């Protein structure tokens, strides 16, 4: 810009502020300072409470990570924000609910082998349930992709995006029908008993039911352990699949360049289906884990976790698998810490403010590269 | 006849890109398609590979109709394209690019043998095998593109402008390699703008102009054909 700016044009000073995203960066620095200060004082005032929130946030963050991976993988391969993904998570939760409460599927090992160690039989039973949920979600996502998204693959991107929103509504309101999931809150029966441990200066003990939590200690349950361990196992499997197997390499090749992938003899449609299936299976597992942690299921339960995981994926850099994990862990912490130290009703507002700030300052997210638009 | 292409008519929307193109490749031959920018050379290769569909005519490979089958099945028949501009998977390593070349094969032992033989042919790639494809130089990328194509075990290799953007020495090398691949039994359909080089290694050639074949014949004859010299070999060579 030269000096001939008129009365109506933006002053060069403001213009340069906007260009260099200084306003966004300032906001971010300010926010970071406030957060660090607030967290610092919280840690000093009451370390055990702070640690407790971090543990809770970790548990939530890992569930978000499982969902965020599906957003990021699907975006990576077909450049689509699959807004129906949160509802796949919901279906996963409901499938595990039916498998446990109606079919008693989690009890099959103890029925078949009454002498089996009870922990082992519950473990095998729960794994059976989660695998069932994952398979149902995977098949559902393959169907959705074939029916709703594939016909639009060469259409304008906005068409597929609107379709995804439509699929999301369809799943929710179809689920709300009285003969499907119904519109009620339904209590979720966990496949195992909850055990809680107390950890403090004197070590770790089981917390008996009805006993008050001693001061200056942190509690955690087998649910938190389950969520964190199960998520890590699933993510390691995913990482192995994507980096080491032929299908995973083909997924990356297709994500990079579909036409050339076809010239290698790669069946691009099949690879896209597999990507949707893997993402949905992870969301299905997340649905069950989430329902175990917050034991209630309802047809719209996927909306908010879905949106937050989407924010996590954008925060980490959509298209990036490590980004999804990092973004989700940050989101989990942001949510529990803001609920504890700012205000509970504010926590969702804060989660979505993160999205706005990220989009302002670094639209490509933490791990995102400069976007490479390909034909 | 190894490849029989008959009467291709290909459109991009309203643009009529190929207007009744016919040609053939015999087993063991190097056949070249030459022509100016936009003549329809890449469109022809992409139609053979199944990325584009012709409205009329047919494509037969080893007497089997491949006109309407899927791109991945065409690769499985042994018709493999090395596309224009290399199209290396930049986010995959050199090794992974080569593995993708062998995607249609499952026999691990033979894949390892193939890998060894392409790495022997392109020692540069062995040094770079852990590097991301996107970090290679243009010449190295072209070598990788050809090596990746060979990993599919083609009986007919379609090469789209392998000399594009390479220094004269590298062009010499690439053409030497193409001739060598051909001598080891792979038939070759070579698309080139560098008509001189292409005709010098080819058995036969076809000249394309705005979507039609305007001239064809033995490569040596085309090299001495006045109208070809005029248009593609730089005047009165
Ligand atoms: N994707 C496309 N959409 C519309 N028109 C296209 C497309 N691809 C090619 N064309 C047109 O089809 C014609 C043939 O193009 P093609 O790429 O086959 O030419 P070419 O001989 O390979 O040229 P070059 O030597 O520049 O690579 C050109 O007129 C081109 O503009
Ligand atoms: Mg071309």
């Amino acid at each position: 810009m030269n000096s001939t700016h008129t009365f109506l044009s933006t002053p060069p000073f403001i213009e340069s502020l906007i260009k260099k995203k200084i306003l966004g960066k300032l906001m971010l620095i300010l926010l970071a300072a406030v957060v660090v200060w607030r967290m610092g004082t919280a840690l000093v005032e009451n370390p055990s409470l702070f640690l407790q929130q971090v543990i809770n946030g970790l548990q939530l963050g890992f569930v978000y990570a499982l969902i965020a991976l599906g957003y990021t993988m699907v975006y990576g391969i077909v450049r689509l924000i699959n807004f129906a993904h949160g509802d796949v998570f919901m279906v996963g939760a409901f499938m595990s609910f039916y498998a446990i409460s109606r079919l008693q599927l989690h009890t099959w090992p103890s029925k078949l082998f009454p002498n089996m160690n009870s922990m082992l039989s519950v473990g095998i039973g729960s794994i059976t349930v989660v695998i069932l949920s994952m398979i149902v979600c995977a098949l559902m996502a393959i169907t959705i992709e074939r029916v709703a998204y594939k016909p639009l693959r060469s259409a304008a991107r906005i068409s597929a995006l609107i379709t995804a929103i439509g699929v999301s509504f369809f799943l929710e309101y179809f689920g709300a029908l009285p003969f499907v999931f119904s519109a009620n809150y339904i209590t979720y029966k966990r496949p195992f008993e909850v055990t809680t441990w107390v950890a403090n200066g004197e070590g770790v003990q089981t917390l008996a039911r009805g006993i008050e939590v001693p001061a200056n200690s942190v509690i955690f349950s087998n649910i938190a352990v389950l969520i964190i361990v199960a998520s890590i196992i699933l993510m390691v499997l995913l990482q192995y699949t994507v980096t080491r197997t032929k299908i995973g390499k083909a997924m990356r090749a297709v994500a990079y360049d579909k036409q050339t992938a076809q010239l290698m003899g790669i069946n691009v449609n099949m690879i896209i289906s597999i990507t949707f299936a893997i993402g949905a299976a992870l969301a299905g597992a997340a649905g069950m884990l989430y329902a175990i942690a917050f034991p209630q299921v309802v047809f719209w339960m996927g909306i908010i976790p879905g949106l937050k995981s989407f924010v996590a994926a954008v925060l980490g850099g959509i298209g990036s698998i490590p980004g999804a994990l990092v973004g989700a862990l940050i989101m989990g912490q942001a949510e529990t810490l803001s609920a504890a130290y700012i205000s509970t009703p504010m926590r969702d507002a804060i989660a979505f403010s993160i999205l706005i700030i990220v989009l302002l300052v670094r639209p490509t997210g933490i791990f995102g590269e400069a976007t490479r638009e390909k034909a | 006849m190894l490849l029989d292409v008959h009467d291709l008519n290909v459109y991009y929307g309203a643009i009529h890109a190929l207007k009744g193109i016919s040609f053939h490749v015999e087993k063991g031959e190097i056949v070249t398609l030459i022509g100016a920018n936009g003549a329809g050379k890449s469109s022809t290769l992409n139609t053979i590979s199944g990325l584009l569909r012709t409205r009329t005519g047919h494509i037969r490979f080893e007497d089997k109709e491949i006109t309407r089958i899927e791109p991945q099945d065409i690769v499985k028949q042994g018709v493999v394209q090395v596309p224009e501009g290399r199209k290396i998977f930049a986010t995959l390593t050199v090794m992974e690019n080569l593995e993708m070349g062998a995607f249609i094969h499952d026999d691990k032992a033979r894949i390892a043998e193939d890998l060894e033989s392409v790495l022997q042919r392109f020692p540069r790639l062995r040094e770079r095998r852990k590097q991301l494809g996107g970090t290679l130089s243009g010449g190295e990328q072209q070598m990788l593109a050809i090596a990746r194509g060979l990993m599919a075990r083609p009986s007919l290799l379609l090469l789209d402008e392998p000399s594009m953007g390479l220094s004269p020495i590298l062009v010499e090398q690439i053409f030497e390699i193409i001739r060598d691949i051909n001598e080891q039994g792979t038939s070759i359909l070579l698309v080139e703008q560098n008509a001189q080089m292409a005709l010098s290694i080819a058995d036969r050639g076809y000249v394309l102009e705005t979507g039609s074949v305007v001239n064809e014949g033995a490569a040596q004859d085309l090299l001495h054909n006045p109208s070809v010299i005029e248009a593609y070999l730089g005047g009165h060579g």
Side-chain angles (χ1 to χ4, degrees):
Chain A
M1 262 202 79
N2 51 32
S3 57
T4 62
H5 78 273
T6 58
F7 170 66
L8 280 176
S9 69
T10 338
F13 160 70
I14 304 270
E15 182 130 322
S16 81
L17 276 189
I18 295 172
K19 272 229 186 74
K20 291 183 189 149
K21 298 180 179 167
I22 289 199
L23 287 177
K25 278 182 193 160
L26 268 177
M27 265 166 72
L28 193 71
I29 291 169
L30 207 73
L31 192 80
V34 170
V35 167
V36 169
W37 176 74
R38 189 68 192 87
M39 294 304 119
T41 49
L43 180 63
V44 173
E45 277 166 14
N46 189 345
S48 60
L49 178 64
F50 184 80
L51 205 60
Q52 185 70 64
Q53 299 310 323
V54 171
I55 292 174
N56 296 349
L58 216 54
Q59 171 180 332
L60 203 56
F62 273 108
V63 174
Y64 290 161
L66 289 179
I67 311 174
L69 286 167
Y71 276 109
T72 226
M73 289 170 68
V74 163
Y75 183 85
I77 209 150
V78 289
R79 297 279 179 270
L80 167 72
I81 305 290
N82 179 15
F83 276 114
H85 191 58
D87 304 297
V88 172
F89 159 89
M90 175 271 292
V91 171
F94 268 98
M95 281 308 122
S96 70
F97 164 75
Y98 287 123
I100 293 167
S101 293
R102 301 279 160 83
L103 303 179
Q104 315 285 328
L105 187 65
H106 63 298
T107 60
W108 76 263
S110 60
K111 280 182 190 145
L112 222 57
F113 310 101
N115 300 328
M116 194 190 264
N117 171 316
S118 76
M119 215 171 125
L120 188 65
S121 76
V122 166
I124 294 177
S126 307
I127 290 173
T128 316
V129 173
V130 81
I131 288 176
L132 177 78
S133 293
M134 291 170 82
I135 291 173
V136 170
C137 288
L139 294 178
M140 194 175 80
I142 291 173
T143 314
I144 292 171
E145 195 274 328
R146 282 288 148 107
V147 174
Y149 302 150
K150 187 170 170 232
L152 295 169
R153 211 176 281 158
S154 50
R157 243 192 259 169
I158 189 79
S159 317
L161 194 72
I162 293 168
T163 305
I165 295 172
V167 171
S168 167
F169 280 131
F170 171 78
L171 292 178
E172 283 158 27
Y173 291 97
F174 185 76
L177 292 174
F179 53 88
V180 187
F181 302 150
S182 89
N184 306 322
Y185 284 93
I186 301 168
T187 305
Y188 187 88
K189 180 168 168 281
R190 297 185 176 111
F192 54 84
E193 296 296 321
V194 181
T195 313
T196 308
W197 294 282
V198 187
N200 50 29
E202 287 127 49
V204 180
Q205 289 115 30
T206 326
L207 184 70
R209 202 177 284 266
I211 302 288
E212 206 163 307
V213 181
N216 293 327
S217 49
V218 174
I219 59 165
F220 61 96
S221 65
N222 53 355
I223 296 174
V225 175
L226 168 75
I227 288 180
I228 295 171
V229 170
S231 305
I232 290 176
I233 291 173
L234 288 171
M235 280 183 257
V236 168
L237 279 177
L238 176 72
Q239 185 65 16
Y240 177 82
T241 308
V242 170
T243 57
R244 296 293 159 82
T245 67
K246 189 163 147 181
I247 292 292
K249 290 169 194 171
M251 283 165 66
R252 281 150 56 211
V254 171
Y256 185 76
D257 182 346
K258 289 187 189 45
Q259 184 157 327
T260 305
Q262 283 183 297
L263 292 179
M264 306 291 112
I266 297 173
N267 184 341
V268 168
N269 288 329
M270 186 187 77
I271 296 294
I272 291 176
S273 289
I274 292 175
T275 308
F276 269 85
I278 293 177
L282 295 175
M288 177 172 174
L289 293 172
Y290 191 84
I292 287 174
F294 309 99
Q296 210 172 42
V297 286
V298 64
F299 73 97
W300 52 262
M301 65 179 281
I303 300 176
I304 293 294
L307 282 175
K308 285 186 183 155
S309 307
F310 165 65
V311 175
V314 173
L315 174 61
I318 192 139
S320 154
I321 289 179
L325 173 61
V326 171
L329 292 180
I330 293 176
M331 286 298 287
Q333 294 305 331
E335 184 171 337
T336 49
L337 292 177
S338 54
Y341 296 113
I342 302 172
S343 84
T344 308
M346 280 286 284
R347 62 168 190 220
D348 292 352
I350 287 166
F352 297 115
S353 308
I354 293 180
L355 176 66
I356 296 171
I357 295 170
V358 172
L359 290 178
L360 277 174
V361 182
R362 196 175 154 83
T364 53
I366 300 170
F367 285 74
E369 295 139 27
T371 36
R372 175 185 46 82
E373 292 289 330
K374 295 213 60 150
Chain B
M1 224 183 292
L2 183 68
L3 178 77
D4 172 25
V5 173
H6 179 71
D7 190 30
L8 300 187
N9 273 286
V10 171
Y11 295 76
Y12 293 100
I15 300 168
H16 193 175
L18 301 185
K19 301 166 186 158
I21 285 188
S22 301
F23 63 93
H24 70 274
V25 179
E26 300 287 345
K27 199 162 169 32
E29 271 188 320
I30 299 182
V31 172
T32 181
L33 303 181
I34 56 179
N37 288 116
K41 306 178 297 293
S42 299
S43 304
T44 304
L45 293 195
N46 284 340
T47 310
I48 297 171
S49 287
L51 297 178
L52 294 172
R53 294 290 177 212
T54 178
R55 290 201 188 164
T56 58
H58 64 245
I59 302 165
R60 294 202 182 111
F61 181 70
E62 292 177 326
D63 297 322
K64 282 190 293 280
E65 184 89 21
I66 59 166
T67 322
R68 290 187 204 290
I69 69 175
E70 293 296 318
Q72 66 265 22
D73 297 321
I74 292 171
V75 177
K76 284 178 194 153
Q77 299 283 323
V79 180
V80 176
Q81 186 188 149
V82 177
E84 183 176 67
R86 296 106 196 193
K87 299 291 170 64
I88 295 307
F89 298 116
T91 51
L92 271 61
T93 65
V94 167
M95 205 60 165
E96 288 171 338
N97 269 280
L98 293 171
E99 285 171 50
M100 288 298 102
F103 186 84
I104 55 169
H105 300 300
D106 284 319
D107 38 358
K108 288 224 169 67
R110 262 208 73 190
I111 294 174
E113 273 172 41
D114 292 345
L115 189 65
E116 192 47 42
S117 91
V118 300
L119 290 179
Q120 223 140 45
R121 196 188 283 283
F122 301 103
R124 243 342 220 299
L125 297 181
R126 192 192 299 274
E127 290 165 33
R128 312 265 141 134
R129 64 188 184 280
K130 299 214 168 103
Q131 213 166 304
L132 288 185
T135 64
L136 297 185
S137 75
E140 291 163 349
Q141 289 198 4
Q142 187 60 61
M143 291 177 185
L144 177 55
I146 294 175
R148 186 177 65 177
L150 291 175
M151 291 299 293
R153 293 172 211 154
S155 32
L156 174 65
L157 191 60
L158 315 175
L159 294 166
D160 198 344
E161 297 202 35
S163 75
M164 190 167 76
L166 301 185
S167 69
I169 293 181
L170 222 47
V171 173
E172 289 279 350
Q173 260 185 37
I174 292 281
F175 275 81
E176 200 49 54
I177 287 165
I178 294 170
R179 203 203 305 259
D180 193 56
I181 291 169
N182 176 249
E183 271 162 15
Q184 294 187 1
T186 306
S187 309
I188 285 173
L189 178 59
L190 171 66
V191 159
E192 262 300 337
Q193 294 224 24
N194 189 336
Q196 177 81 51
M197 284 299 284
L199 288 171
S200 73
I201 68 162
D203 298 299
R204 291 185 302 112
Y206 293 82
V207 180
L208 260 59
E209 233 172 74
T210 57
S212 307
V213 174
V214 294
N215 220 324
E216 60 178 275
Q220 287 310 311
D221 297 344
L222 289 176
L223 266 175
H224 301 105
N225 181 318
S227 69
V228 174
I229 292 171
E230 182 71 40
Y232 303 103
L233 301 174
H236 313 284

